[in-house]
Amino acid sequence: MRTLELFETPAQNLRLGPSAIVLREFALPYMSELMTAIEAITAVSPFRYMVTPGGFTMSVALTNCGSLGWTTDRRGYRYISHDPDTGKPWPVMPEVFTRLASDAATNAGYDNFEPDACLVNRYLPGSRLSLHQDKNERDYEHPIVSVSLGMRAKFQFGGHARTDPTVKVPLHHGDVVVWGGTDRLRYHGVMPLQDDPHPLLGSQRINFTFRKAG
Ligand code: SIN
Ligand code: FE2
């Protein structure tokens, strides 16, 4: 009977490092609340394409919620409290977001995770995110919690140097990746998205990453 239970597991979690894990389908029970919350956020602070300090327009569109939001322009990458397009504070982080972030962090071994920043990324077919480290936060004590919705993507997870080999992990609707501790500064990115429409979200992938930034 015990061996049967193994096969009944719908999806296997995947360990990416001593302090990094993919929690398969962890966000599914939160889904209807998440969709409503995302609509409310993007109605106030719509998705937009930002420019990197090097002058390139990102292929991923983004917005934020929470007391701090990640932005980029010609002057650099940083967290700010107001949406530069509307001049208003970023939308408040919905309760379902904080609950999901904290539940996922606890599940991955990080108790009492209280994010103050949520970056919401929208990928369309062809969108990609080149290898980078998340290092605009004030300290690296807290984990990153990253939720995937919609079309699947190939997530790259590398080492502490840009040139280190990467593993390529397919992420599906509902998967949550958590990385912290000794894995907190590992390079990661997303390969160009293929057009494989999702029943709920169509030809897009929404990702949101929770951080304690300030
Ligand atoms: C990010 O690194 O900010 C996003 C990762 C992802 O879209 O899965
Ligand atoms: Fe990142």
Side-chain angles (χ1 to χ4, degrees):
M1 282 330 254
R2 279 228 163 269
T3 44
L4 252 185
E5 277 171 32
L6 279 177
F7 293 101
E8 283 163 8
T9 307
Q12 289 291 329
N13 291 343
L14 177 67
R15 187 152 283 288
L16 297 177
S19 308
I21 191 165
V22 182
L23 303 173
R24 294 290 186 200
E25 300 183 347
F26 191 88
L28 288 187
Y30 306 77
M31 200 54 68
S32 64
E33 285 178 274
L34 290 178
M35 297 302 295
T36 310
I38 289 169
E39 271 167 38
I41 292 163
T42 55
V44 176
S45 281
F47 285 115
R48 80 291 305 268
Y49 292 97
M50 289 191 179
V51 174
T52 66
F56 295 101
T57 300
M58 293 178 67
S59 64
V60 176
L62 62 87
T63 184
N64 289 280
C65 65
S67 53
L68 290 170
W70 185 87
T71 58
T72 174
D73 60 20
R74 291 307 298 250
R75 289 181 296 149
Y77 305 122
R78 62 199 174 281
Y79 282 95
I80 53 178
S81 60
H82 285 58
D83 178 339
D85 281 8
T86 65
K88 297 192 184 122
W90 296 108
V92 170
M93 202 180 302
E95 188 271 338
V96 61
F97 275 38
T98 31
R99 182 159 30 96
L100 168 58
S102 134
D103 291 353
T106 302
N107 203 279
Y110 302 95
D111 287 336
N112 308 314
F113 177 54
E114 287 176 18
D116 55 11
C118 177
L119 167 64
V120 187
N121 291 311
R122 187 194 63 198
Y123 296 73
L124 299 176
S127 301
R128 62 190 291 267
L129 194 62
S130 51
L131 281 179
H132 65 278
Q133 293 170 295
D134 287 3
K135 52 178 189 186
N136 302 124
E137 297 72 33
R138 197 160 56 91
D139 64 55
Y140 306 137
E141 228 175 87
H142 309 280
I144 309 281
V145 174
S146 173
V147 179
S148 293
L149 306 184
M151 289 209 295
R152 82 195 140 80
K154 257 188 215 151
F155 181 65
Q156 296 173 281
F157 200 67
H160 287 90
R162 189 184 294 279
T163 49
D164 285 348
T166 61
V167 288
K168 294 177 185 60
V169 186
L171 294 182
H172 295 91
H173 184 67
D175 289 349
V176 179
V177 190
V178 183
W179 65 98
T182 54
D183 294 319
R184 174 64 178 73
L185 285 173
R186 284 174 66 176
Y187 274 87
H188 58 281
V190 176
M191 311 272 289
L193 224 73
Q194 282 173 17
D195 194 2
D196 180 12
H198 182 268
L200 191 59
L201 278 141
S203 285
Q204 57 177 343
R205 168 177 187 255
I206 308 277
N207 165 267
F208 34 98
T209 44
F210 295 100
R211 305 181 175 93
K212 174 95 180 78

